[in-house]
Amino acid sequence: MNVRLLLLLFCFCLLTSRLQATVHTVGAGSNPTAIKTALALAQPKDTILVKSGFYQEGNLIVDKPLTLIGENNPVLDGNKQYEILSVKADSVTIKGFVVQNSGSASLDDPGGIKVYDSNHVVITNNTLYDNFFGIYIQYGKHCLVKNNTLISNGTTDELQIGNGIHCWKSDSILIIGNNVSGHRDGIYFEFVTNSVIWRNISFGNVRYGLHFMFSNNDAYITNVFRNNGAGVAVMYTKNVKMYNNVFEKNWGDAAYGLLLKDISDSHIENNRFIQNTSGIYMEGSNRISIKNNIFGSNGWGMKIQASCMDNAIDANNFTQNTFDVSTNGSLVLNTFAGNYWDKYEGYDLNKDKTGDVPYHPLSLFSVIVEKNPPAMLLYRSFMVTLLDKSEKILPSLTPDNFVDNQPLMRPLPL
Amino acid sequence: MNRITQFVLTDIFRNKIMIAYTALLAVFSWSAFTLENNSQKGLLTLLNIILLTVPLVSVLFSTIYIYNSSEFIELLVSQPIKRGKIWFSIFTGLSISLALAFLLGAGVPLLLYASIGMFGLVAGMGVLVSVAFTAIAFFSAIFTRDKAKGIGISVLLWLYFALLFDGLVLFLLFQFADYPIENAMVFITALSPIDLARILILLQLDISAMMGYTGAIFKQFFGTALGFSISVLLLCLWTAIPFALSLYRFQHKDL
Amino acid sequence: MIVIENLCKQFGKLQALKNVNLTLSAGACIALVGPNGCGKTTLMKSILGMALPDKGTILFDGKDIKNEFAYRSRIGYMPQIGRYPDNMTIKQVIDMIKHLRHYPENQTDKDLITRYQINDLAHKRMSTLSGGTTQKVSAVLAFLFNPDVYILDEPTAGLDPIAAEILKDKIMEEKAKGKLILISSHLLNELDELITELIFMQDGEVLFHKKTDDLRNETGEAKISKTITNMLKKQMS
């Protein structure tokens, strides 16, 4: 019996020693001094604690489920030559590092932190400076990217810089509370499904603040996309949910608060589109519910191309836009109802809070400008005012089913 | 200040139409700023005033004033004074009083409700437009002795700059829609003082609309310090050229 | 003092002045007479630089007046119908011209102001004045600055007899000072005692320019008006 008990105890000790992971401390005065050494020494589920310092060790490959923790922001520097951290195992955690100066070859897309075919990877509280790609996840599942700051100084040349948070062919990814600026696209999704992007701020990126394609069943909630080269572009996707985001100050020739291309069965609700060249630009998009949003101080509140159908634009506030809505054709297959338009001049005799006269949000001048953009030159001239007024009284050139039959008298409290 | 200008000024300050004009501007501007809840809308109302009312009143009042002063001018010409000085002094007097009327009527609420930079720009444009249309009035008044004809020419010129010119621009835009004509259009707008003032104010006011494809080109030109200076210079030319032509004509006119 | 050479002026189809040649010397009091529309006013306005001749020159003291203006400070001009800015008072008009002329206040000739009792009316607006009073203001302005040359276009038209008499007296006084006086008038009888020379114009041409004494001698008539009809008859025949 004793022998049995002893054996059991031994086995137990053996087990617990593996369960109780070892902590390897790296840094000046510790042993080892190089992260690479620690990575080689460590067993799966170990923790590597990196002390404050400057580490220039080329490419670090994490191929075991390890927890890497930076203490007082140690700097991992790629010397502008290497991918800095390559994650090639499941359940890796990377926390508290400053990752900077990755290489910038455009062939294999080196990143500050790149995840290869791995699940349950957690990347939190890191700061990434001047990397080609910031955080790159390919074939990842159930990964979490949280509270990281990614800063790069991208120039206008899109090829000189990669994306901030880049995900490709992944599933169930959580991107939360990150701050991305100066990259090509702030956050980039391609073939990423069932994922959530929440409370991120993406600003001052060269191309798009958020860019996704073929990424079905994702949700984008409470993010801020500000002052990006071309705003936000989302394409070829079904079941997108965009709630409570802010799209603002996306100025320029081809800049949009939100560009929707071939998006269907989606919800765009409670967002704020402020001071964009176009708040929403949509083409080839169907069955989208656009509800309870604020469109304020945009050049165009919404540009709805004639290729869109069955979209419902309900209960939004349109204020101080140069043009509330414009379209490029005469076919109207979308509906407007119960929106507030600050340009509405009707009255409400029966006091039901909706105007008694339908509102035609499409002005003649917006149709002219759509056909002939330089006509913008005549904006706010007496002649244009006269044209618009006469068109309002006697609609002849604008489609008459482009109409909100229940325009609100007062803005919605959004 | 020169004597003739002073006499013109004292004469105009007693003029009922001038007082009514100042009051009208004041009523419009104050109500624009106090009724609208944001100053942006007030500014847009003011912009319409600058683009329509100010040119109309400036050109009409000046034309009528010149015709009504024909005796005064005759009296002055028989005196030992250079003809050029007479014409220029009357022009200065009219310009100052119209500009003052604008500043008193519209400038005061503007100063209170808009930013100081906006005040500078809008007030400056209002003054420049007033002066330019005074010059245009001098131009149309000198070419015919018939008061009714002269007023007719003035109103036509106003109608042209306020409305017909833009129609013409729109027509050209559609005629040459297949060609890259943005740059040419920037040049063409310079041919109307009202359009110049409108675009200069809009670029500061309503940037969203002017951005985008076309806006970028305008911004590129009108938005820079150089483009702005050139535009202001062009507005000044709109004063200088009609006035110079009328001056030449006046110096060779029998009275 | 004023020499006019080959002066031509055309208004549209109307030839207002045809090759006018005249010499007007200081000390002369010259009547410019002729039927309506004969070019009297145009001639006067040409001398003042108000009408600009098509051809010919006008010399003032030997200097061409073209593009000149300073010489006008030596001319007192009284227009046929003086018209003044409606909103100004008499005082303002007079003050304005004084300022414009830069003429020392103490040397101005206030004779007519006193005689016409203008000071009593000084604060009346020009628009409220009668035609006669307006003419008085014109006369005051013409004589205010002691000019060397007077150009008076129908000076007595519209004036009451007393005012006209005062003006005539004033002209006499100025003539006595040796100034050149050019008067156009229809009322020739009024001018009998005044004038020393006579220019008769018709259809823009000067028919004759003679001393009144010579005229009287030639025609044997005492009255100027008679001498003219006589002269015209003579020329016709």
Side-chain angles (χ1 to χ4, degrees), chain B residues 4 73 76-77 81-90:
Chain B
I4 305 172
I73 294 168
L76 292 177
V77 167
I81 309 163
K82 258 189 214 160
R83 276 195 179 198
K85 191 180 169 187
I86 297 170
W87 200 236
F88 188 73
S89 304
I90 296 173

Side-chain angles (χ1 to χ4, degrees), chain B residues 15-246:
Chain B
N15 190 302
K16 287 191 188 73
I17 293 174
M18 205 50 154
I19 295 165
Y21 171 55
T22 313
L24 184 90
L25 282 178
V27 169
F28 274 151
S29 318
W30 281 103
S31 57
F33 280 111
T34 47
L35 292 184
E36 302 293 354
N37 43 12
N38 63 68
S39 72
Q40 184 99 346
K41 272 195 172 177
L43 277 169
L44 288 176
T45 311
L46 208 59
L47 177 69
N48 285 334
I49 293 175
I50 293 176
L51 300 184
L52 278 179
T53 321
V54 168
L56 180 64
V57 173
S58 297
V59 83
L60 266 185
F61 184 85
S62 301
T63 311
I64 295 171
Y65 190 84
I66 297 163
Y67 279 109
N68 288 352
S69 317
S70 58
E71 310 90 42
F72 179 56
I73 294 168
E74 224 170 284
L75 173 69
L76 292 177
V77 167
S78 71
Q79 302 298 323
I81 309 163
K82 258 189 214 160
R83 276 195 179 198
K85 191 180 169 187
I86 297 170
W87 200 236
F88 188 73
S89 304
I90 296 173
F91 174 70
T92 317
L94 268 169
S95 302
I96 289 176
S97 38
L98 282 162
L100 265 179
F102 176 79
L103 289 177
L104 275 176
V108 174
L110 190 65
L111 187 61
L112 292 178
Y113 285 93
S115 68
I116 201 82
M118 212 32 144
F119 164 77
L121 179 74
V122 177
M125 287 300 139
V127 168
L128 279 175
V129 167
S130 302
V131 176
F133 275 84
T134 306
I136 289 170
F138 272 67
F139 176 79
S140 51
I142 193 71
F143 281 95
T144 167
R145 269 176 196 277
D146 185 353
K147 186 170 169 180
K149 235 190 240 173
I151 292 172
I153 293 173
S154 291
V155 172
L156 275 179
L157 281 174
W158 170 79
L159 199 68
Y160 170 74
F161 287 121
L163 191 64
L164 300 180
F165 182 82
D166 291 338
L168 209 67
V169 168
L170 192 63
F171 174 76
L172 283 177
L173 279 170
F174 275 91
Q175 284 301 303
F176 298 99
D178 301 334
Y179 304 91
I181 48 167
E182 286 80 12
N183 290 319
M185 279 301 150
V186 168
F187 169 74
I188 284 176
T189 47
L191 299 179
S192 160
I194 294 182
D195 277 2
L196 264 175
R198 177 171 54 81
I199 290 173
L200 284 182
I201 294 177
L202 273 187
L203 272 179
Q204 308 302 321
L205 205 70
D206 232 14
I207 308 167
S208 50
M210 302 304 290
M211 294 303 277
Y213 170 57
T214 317
I217 290 163
F218 300 140
K219 189 85 186 163
Q220 236 171 43
F221 176 72
F222 292 111
T224 61
L226 180 72
F228 186 82
S229 317
I230 291 176
S231 318
V232 171
L233 192 76
L234 280 172
L235 263 173
C236 294
L237 277 184
W238 267 107
T239 306
I241 290 173
F243 179 74
L245 288 173
S246 76

Side-chain angles (χ1 to χ4, degrees), chain A residues 96-137:
Chain A
F97 289 93
V98 175
V99 180
Q100 65 182 31
N101 296 330
S102 79
S104 62
S106 55
L107 207 63
D108 52 355
D109 291 344
I113 302 172
K114 191 161 176 178
V115 177
Y116 297 84
D117 307 73
S118 306
N119 303 335
H120 300 284
V121 174
V122 175
I123 302 169
T124 61
N125 297 82
N126 301 289
T127 307
L128 293 94
Y129 291 121
D130 291 324
N131 299 295
F132 188 58
F133 279 78
I135 297 170
Y136 192 132
I137 299 174

